[in-house]
Amino acid sequence: MIPTGLLGNPGYMSWENLKEMAGSGKVYAYDHSWSHFPLPKGDEKKMEMEIITAKTQLEQQLGKPQKIFTYPYGSY
């Protein structure tokens, strides 16, 4: 589960790391929002941005459709 906005920041993996891992066939990468923001605390526009931005980035970077989303912090 990948919050895509954190990739490349100090202490986090890079897009290249993720591509290598996902390309191995042993690891799957799914949308976990853009910044790991607690979604129920945001308005509809913030929630949509968090989910769709990460989905789009993962699809573009990994070349696979994203059909799974997991909420940060176990919320729903």
Side-chain angles (χ1 to χ4, degrees), residues 2 7 13-23 29 58 62:
I2 307 295
L7 291 171
M13 73 175 88
S14 68
W15 278 106
E16 289 305 315
N17 297 140
L18 182 60
K19 287 178 190 178
E20 182 180 344
M21 291 168 60
L58 286 165
L62 302 179

Side-chain angles (χ1 to χ4, degrees), residues 17-55:
N17 297 140
L18 182 60
K19 287 178 190 178
E20 182 180 344
M21 291 168 60
S24 73
K26 297 178 182 179
V27 174
Y28 298 95
Y30 297 113
D31 184 349
H32 194 50
S33 79
W34 180 75
S35 71
H36 208 260
F37 179 82
L39 294 176
K41 295 185 183 215
D43 61 21
E44 186 174 334
K45 189 172 182 173
K46 172 69 172 172
M47 290 188 289
E48 184 176 315
M49 184 284 296
E50 288 281 335
I51 296 167
I52 299 301
T53 299
K55 178 184 189 313

